[in-house]
Amino acid sequence: MFLSICFALLLLIVIVPCKSDYSVYYCSNGRPAFSIFNVSTFTFSAQCSIPGRSCYGKKGKCSKEYLCCPRTLKMSSKLQLYDRATNIKFIRIGIDYKNAHRLYELNLLSNNSIMYDSYQRWFFFEKTLRDLFEMPNARFWYAIINCMQNNGIAYVFVPLNATSITANISAIIILTRQKNSFDNLYICHMATRKEYRRQGLGTHLLQQSIYRALNEQQNGIKYISLHVNTLNTIALEFYEKCGWRCYEYLPKYLDPEPHHTTNHAYALKLNLDNVKNVTGLCRDPDAIDIKQSDNEKSIENCNRIPTQLEK
């Protein structure tokens, strides 16, 4: 019993390393170096022994700075790409969007080498969200783990001219199945890089999420829900135009962050039964059959008149 508890604690330390004494070393391709956890000193080390040689189970190559550096995952016409550094499989979906961006579903593979690749996986998600949200000091680590390890689903757009897939994500959406709800897909995060905003990437990601939810209706999925800061009017209006409606006001629900002076939130959801035309989402007012009762609940529970597309 004692040994099992110690092992569980050790795994917790490995999966969620202490940020106060963990330094991230970067390789020349911009990716963080691999790190090994030392069970005797409870520290991480990114050092390798012989430059030019493979290191850590051939997942990387030892650089002249004695760092174990992951290889660059480059754009390819293949239907599936595997990133050894993060144990993530990039599965190509559909045709390229406007001949400029490629859509991938991210499949998290099992962590057979948990000592040194767990951090790479979550660092990829955290760094991507920091870049896209333009919040370099934000902490997404625990939220991402909680979301992705609970049957998480992620879709990303990558520019066709990207030299590195993992370093050039143009838009991302991360969903999960909430533990306390069997009929709901929950949007944990959605963001688009600044230079690609207002080009339809966010709309296309929402459409892909609805397709996924509709395919899982046989598993009981009825809604797609999310939370939005009450002061984030741009996001609120966007989701409302796409068919989401506010059903609850939650004071101090969100973690404090510098972009807003409050952490109050609105809870929004989209009823899949209201979806009539997925490809018209956010553009055609007839794509979603909004019930008058849903608008009335938004006013009653959230004191908010929903923004709607003009016919």
Side-chain angles (χ1 to χ4, degrees):
M1 181 66 178
F2 175 77
L3 290 177
S4 62
I5 293 175
C6 290
F7 182 69
L9 291 174
L10 176 59
L11 283 181
L12 180 61
I13 294 172
V14 172
I15 296 173
V16 186
C18 178
K19 291 183 176 293
S20 61
D21 58 6
Y22 180 76
S23 298
V24 179
Y25 298 92
Y26 287 94
C27 299
S28 59
N29 61 2
R31 304 195 70 177
F34 280 113
S35 297
I36 280 282
F37 182 74
N38 189 318
V39 294
S40 60
T41 62
F42 284 86
T43 58
F44 287 85
S45 173
Q47 300 298 303
C48 53
S49 56
I50 305 175
R53 296 283 185 87
S54 297
C55 52
Y56 299 171
K58 298 183 179 180
K59 286 177 174 285
K61 182 172 289 187
C62 191
S63 72
K64 62 182 180 180
E65 293 83 11
Y66 292 95
L67 299 176
C68 185
C69 293
R71 294 173 175 84
T72 301
L73 184 64
K74 298 181 179 179
M75 186 67 70
S76 169
S77 60
K78 294 180 180 179
L79 296 180
Q80 296 186 9
L81 301 174
Y82 170 52
D83 182 31
R84 293 176 62 87
T86 58
N87 266 6
I88 295 177
K89 182 183 290 185
F90 288 71
I91 304 172
R92 183 177 177 181
I93 298 178
I95 61 175
D96 296 334
Y97 181 69
K98 295 184 177 180
N99 293 319
H101 299 272
R102 184 160 293 170
L103 180 62
Y104 290 99
E105 177 181 342
L106 273 54
N107 185 344
L108 302 191
L109 303 177
S110 60
N111 271 331
N112 296 322
S113 305
I114 197 169
M115 285 294 185
Y116 49 79
D117 72 0
S118 58
Y119 187 87
Q120 297 286 329
R121 171 174 293 181
W122 307 126
F123 186 87
F124 160 74
F125 284 107
E126 181 166 70
K127 187 176 186 302
T128 298
L129 290 176
R130 284 179 175 180
D131 290 345
L132 269 58
F133 280 118
E134 297 181 292
M135 299 169 62
N137 298 319
R139 295 186 178 183
F140 296 102
W141 184 274
Y142 298 108
I144 292 169
I145 293 177
N146 183 59
C147 180
M148 292 304 297
Q149 288 190 335
N150 181 29
N151 298 305
I153 307 164
Y155 297 101
V156 299
F157 271 116
V158 182
L160 292 182
N161 60 359
T163 56
S164 169
I165 291 181
T166 53
N168 292 277
I169 303 297
S170 48
I172 187 172
I173 189 168
I174 305 175
L175 307 99
T176 192
R177 298 169 184 82
Q178 288 189 302
K179 296 178 180 179
N180 59 352
S181 176
F182 295 100
D183 62 357
N184 179 46
L185 274 184
Y186 179 76
I187 299 178
C188 303
H189 301 284
M190 189 175 80
T192 302
R193 197 175 297 278
K194 186 176 182 178
E195 59 265 36
Y196 300 122
R197 292 171 190 169
R198 300 188 180 279
Q199 297 182 22
L201 295 182
T203 296
H204 202 77
L205 288 176
L206 285 183
Q207 292 173 352
Q208 182 61 40
S209 301
I210 292 177
Y211 280 126
R212 179 63 176 257
L214 291 173
N215 288 336
E216 295 198 24
Q217 279 188 307
Q218 69 271 19
N219 297 327
I221 298 298
K222 298 179 180 179
Y223 306 98
I224 301 179
S225 64
L226 56 98
H227 291 93
V228 180
N229 191 296
T230 57
L231 295 184
N232 193 350
T233 56
I234 295 177
L236 282 167
E237 293 176 0
F238 170 67
Y239 286 119
E240 288 172 342
K241 288 180 180 180
C242 295
W244 272 259
R245 288 296 179 265
C246 182
Y247 67 92
E248 189 175 7
Y249 168 68
L250 300 170
K252 299 182 179 180
Y253 179 83
L254 303 172
D255 293 330
E257 49 99 353
H259 285 247
H260 299 294
T261 57
T262 180
N263 57 347
H264 307 327
Y266 290 128
L268 288 76
K269 67 179 178 182
L270 172 72
N271 189 334
L272 293 178
D273 290 337
N274 294 345
V275 178
K276 304 304 177 185
N277 177 13
V278 179
T279 58
L281 186 79
C282 309
R283 302 186 181 97
D284 180 4
D286 295 324
I288 305 291
D289 182 17
I290 302 295
K291 303 294 189 293
Q292 181 61 30
S293 58
D294 292 333
N295 290 331
E296 293 173 352
K297 287 180 181 178
S298 177
I299 298 173
E300 178 183 354
N301 298 337
C302 306
N303 194 28
R304 179 171 177 82
I305 300 175
T307 304
Q308 303 187 59
L309 288 173
E310 295 182 4
K311 293 190 178 182

